[in-house]
Amino acid sequence: MTVTNQLVTFYLGQESYGIELDYVQEIIRLPQIVHLPKAPDHVEGLANLRNNILAVINGRRKFGLPRTDHTEETRVAVLDFHGYKLGYVVDRVSEVITVNAEEIEEITAEKDGQEKFLKGVAKLNNGQRLVMIIDPAYLFGQAEKDIIKNDGGRSEMEENIRRSTRMTENQATEKIEEFVSFRVAREDYAIPIENVQEIVHVPSVINRVPNAPEYVDGLISLRNRILPIVNIRSLYGLEQSDFDERSRIVVVRIKHSGQPLTVGLAVDAVNEVLRISAGAVAPVPDLLRTRKTSEITGVCKSKNQSLVYILDPARLFSLEEMVEFTSQNVDYEQEIQSTVQPDDEEQLVTFWLDSEEFAASITQVQEIIRVPQVVRVPKAPDYVEGVINIRGTILPVIDLRKKLNLSQYNRDEQSRIVVINLDGQRTGLIVDSAREVVKISCADIEPVPEMLDTRIDTAFIQGVGKLAGGRRMVIILDMAKVILADDDGAPGLLQANEMN
């Protein structure tokens, strides 16, 4: 009886290759690829294949061939090697052929280094056509003999992959984790929300410092403290791009040797706060794990199903180098702060209430969140909505419409809570929607006119800001008076705010 093999054949350049059909799960068109920073050159990145994370490698680069642009004929062979899946990009797929054993010449000795990835060469049409048969063990980075079978006959590798990607019914009861997601050079990343202290606009001046690490843009003064700015594009060796209106600095707090280290991460844009179950975070495929990518701790999906890399900020850069850099430049603080002119310009967080645009100083706004479950407080003033739990801290919540004697309405998806921090006392204010952060010249902020026709108590108003040449007006609230007004509700608010 003649022994035969079935091969899926494809081309890389002018050469014909084949992989045994048993290892080929399917052939697909090139999907959307999320590129992995600092990955080996042959790694295309990750793809979302029917809710499964698939590592994708470039066949040309894997074999040292020159990279070319993908075409309409480009395909991805989805391979399954003992339960471990991999996408393999080829120039074009040819056909499925049946080859007799005697037509295959095994490679038993070194032949131009090809023994590393070839199982043999199929000689077809009396040797006129050669098909190089790829050993899938080479593509997956380990030999087949290294896979240890467990008692059930399934490899340990397979069990780990299945366990990490399986979506079970009890995920709804799993711990919910929150991440702040942002974009850098068309890719999405996220950092655990507990590491994020605040998010601010990129200032007009970043003070360059000699001998700074190549990924550090410089230093700024924020809240009277010196803050090093790490450029994620520089850190990942990506093409540089000028900051624009969407650019932000994500201020992260890291523990190093028990001491806090605060660093600003310059990113292209901040996307959203992701709330996902712990089981929905998939590990980075082993093939993409390198020392250079150790800061990527997992992969999850955003609301639009795009892939998001989860970063550990403590692994992004050398903490020792950053601590030394910061400590060496404390003498720059006075010089840096001298470039900041707080009397000339204000940053305001704007929001809507009853078709009016209001604002608060960004120095008082800690964060903006969706409206979570609010627990009512018995005998509280009418405008006190109750308390909420934010990452283990209990915050009182005020309905700002009620506080300002505005008409009431049913909340919707646009409703937000603006968390105000006054000297460590935090309070949430429910608003109709949050709009943006704006910069305004102090010359464009006027005191409240004596005859101001407004529906709210002018005692709460700090001033009126004129934007867009006066075509846009925002009412700037004095948050200390809004929250700490001398009425029956104030003592209760302060007491609730001290509950942790």
Side-chain angles (χ1 to χ4, degrees):
M1 178 178 177
T2 303
V3 178
T4 61
N5 288 306
Q6 283 191 304
L7 303 176
V8 176
T9 62
F10 55 87
Y11 282 88
L12 291 171
Q14 301 299 317
E15 301 295 338
S16 178
Y17 297 85
I19 294 180
E20 292 170 79
L21 182 61
D22 289 345
Y23 294 115
V24 181
Q25 179 175 301
E26 59 184 309
I27 305 291
I28 62 173
R29 290 183 177 273
L30 190 70
Q32 181 178 356
I33 301 291
V34 176
H35 299 287
L36 187 69
K38 297 191 289 187
D41 185 53
H42 66 270
V43 174
E44 286 279 341
L46 300 179
N48 180 5
L49 181 63
R50 293 186 294 279
N51 290 324
N52 289 311
I53 307 300
L54 182 72
V56 180
I57 65 174
N58 185 294
R60 278 180 165 268
R61 300 307 305 147
K62 184 69 174 176
F63 293 152
L65 302 175
R67 187 186 291 271
T68 61
D69 294 335
H70 299 308
T71 69
E72 283 296 316
E73 292 187 309
T74 302
R75 293 294 184 269
V76 176
V78 180
L79 309 180
D80 187 321
F81 186 66
H82 299 280
Y84 199 169
K85 293 180 173 55
L86 173 71
Y88 185 66
V89 181
V90 301
D91 292 351
R92 62 185 175 92
V93 173
S94 178
E95 59 187 327
V96 177
I97 62 174
T98 300
V99 181
N100 296 327
E102 58 268 20
E103 294 178 300
I104 298 176
E105 179 182 332
E106 293 186 3
I107 296 181
T108 57
E110 183 173 341
K111 184 181 293 184
D112 297 328
Q114 293 182 348
E115 84 291 345
K116 288 191 288 187
F117 64 89
L118 293 184
K119 294 180 72 173
V121 177
K123 298 179 178 180
L124 309 176
N125 300 333
N126 294 322
Q128 295 182 7
R129 178 187 176 189
L130 301 181
V131 176
M132 291 177 281
I133 304 172
I134 295 175
D135 184 351
Y138 170 75
L139 297 183
F140 284 83
Q142 67 180 71
E144 188 171 0
K145 61 183 175 60
D146 291 333
I147 295 179
I148 304 171
K149 299 292 182 177
N150 62 18
D151 292 339
R154 186 180 287 164
S155 72
E156 289 183 358
M157 182 192 298
E158 182 179 8
E159 286 298 323
N160 289 336
I161 296 301
R162 291 178 186 271
R163 189 159 44 242
S164 64
T165 59
R166 189 183 297 121
M167 301 296 290
T168 60
E169 294 180 358
N170 64 359
Q171 278 188 341
T173 63
E174 289 184 2
K175 176 185 176 183
I176 298 298
E177 297 181 345
E178 292 186 308
F179 304 89
V180 174
S181 66
F182 52 87
R183 172 152 289 207
V184 177
R186 300 188 302 277
E187 307 298 347
D188 291 330
Y189 304 86
I191 286 177
I193 200 168
E194 59 264 24
N195 291 119
V196 179
Q197 186 166 310
E198 60 183 308
I199 299 169
V200 299
H201 278 250
V202 179
S204 56
V205 176
I206 296 179
N207 296 267
R208 309 291 175 178
V209 179
N211 302 318
E214 59 182 10
Y215 53 81
V216 174
D217 276 355
L219 301 171
I220 67 171
S221 179
L222 181 68
R223 315 279 188 269
N224 295 318
R225 71 173 183 267
I226 191 170
L227 185 72
I229 302 301
V230 171
N231 189 310
I232 300 296
R233 282 179 174 263
S234 298
L235 189 68
Y236 284 155
L238 303 173
E239 181 181 355
Q240 292 302 299
S241 175
D242 293 335
F243 296 123
D244 57 29
E245 284 300 313
R246 298 193 64 201
S247 302
R248 294 292 186 271
I249 290 178
V250 180
V251 182
V252 298
R253 198 170 180 84
I254 307 165
K255 287 280 189 178
H256 176 59
S257 300
Q259 298 298 319
L261 172 66
T262 305
V263 177
L265 305 180
V267 303
D268 295 354
V270 172
N271 297 334
E272 59 182 332
V273 174
L274 298 175
R275 299 185 74 253
I276 58 178
S277 66
V281 178
V284 178
D286 289 344
L287 285 174
L288 306 187
R289 286 188 178 277
T290 68
R291 263 191 286 180
K292 292 183 178 181
T293 60
S294 62
E295 73 276 10
I296 301 177
T297 60
V299 185
C300 67
K301 297 172 197 167
S302 65
K303 292 177 182 177
N304 62 8
Q305 295 300 301
S306 62
L307 297 183
V308 181
Y309 293 114
I310 297 175
L311 303 178
D312 179 354
R315 300 182 188 175
L316 276 172
F317 41 77
S318 168
L319 295 181
E320 291 79 7
E321 184 177 40
M322 189 59 65
V323 169
E324 181 181 2
F325 169 72
T326 305
S327 62
Q328 286 177 348
N329 289 284
V330 291
D331 293 339
Y332 280 84
E333 186 164 8
Q334 189 63 39
E335 177 184 341
I336 291 170
Q337 290 179 350
S338 68
T339 66
V340 181
Q341 300 175 339
D343 294 334
D344 296 338
E345 193 175 61
E346 287 272 358
Q347 278 191 298
L348 303 174
V349 177
T350 65
F351 50 86
W352 289 100
L353 280 173
D354 198 16
S355 302
E356 295 283 357
E357 190 173 12
F358 294 82
S361 171
I362 195 173
T363 61
Q364 298 174 328
V365 178
Q366 180 166 312
E367 61 182 313
I368 298 174
I369 62 174
R370 293 182 181 273
V371 181
Q373 180 180 358
V374 180
V375 179
R376 300 285 180 177
V377 177
K379 299 183 180 180
D382 178 59
Y383 60 80
V384 177
E385 191 75 6
V387 295
I388 60 175
N389 182 356
I390 298 183
R391 300 182 293 279
T393 300
I394 304 301
L395 268 63
V397 176
I398 291 177
D399 186 325
L400 199 51
R401 274 181 174 253
K402 290 181 180 179
K403 181 69 177 182
L404 302 180
N405 297 317
L406 301 176
S407 62
Q408 296 304 292
Y409 87 121
N410 294 324
R411 297 184 191 119
D412 55 27
E413 285 296 315
Q414 299 300 315
S415 300
R416 294 292 186 270
I417 289 181
V418 179
V419 179
I420 301 297
N421 190 331
L422 298 177
D423 297 325
Q425 299 289 343
R426 295 191 297 167
T427 305
L429 304 179
I430 300 179
V431 302
D432 296 357
S433 64
R435 183 169 183 182
E436 61 181 331
V437 176
V438 298
K439 291 182 179 180
I440 184 171
S441 169
C442 291
D444 290 328
I445 299 177
E446 296 187 359
V448 183
E450 293 182 3
M451 302 300 293
L452 179 66
D453 181 17
T454 180
R455 292 163 289 167
I456 70 173
D457 188 343
T458 57
F460 295 137
I461 301 177
Q462 180 177 319
V464 179
K466 298 179 295 183
L467 300 170
R471 296 187 301 275
R472 176 182 168 193
M473 311 286 284
V474 295
I475 300 172
I476 305 171
L477 296 177
D478 185 333
M479 285 303 172
K481 292 180 179 179
V482 170
I483 294 172
L484 305 177
D486 186 16
D487 57 37
D488 293 339
L493 288 176
L494 291 176
Q495 290 168 8
N497 217 345
E498 293 170 357
M499 296 171 60
N500 290 315

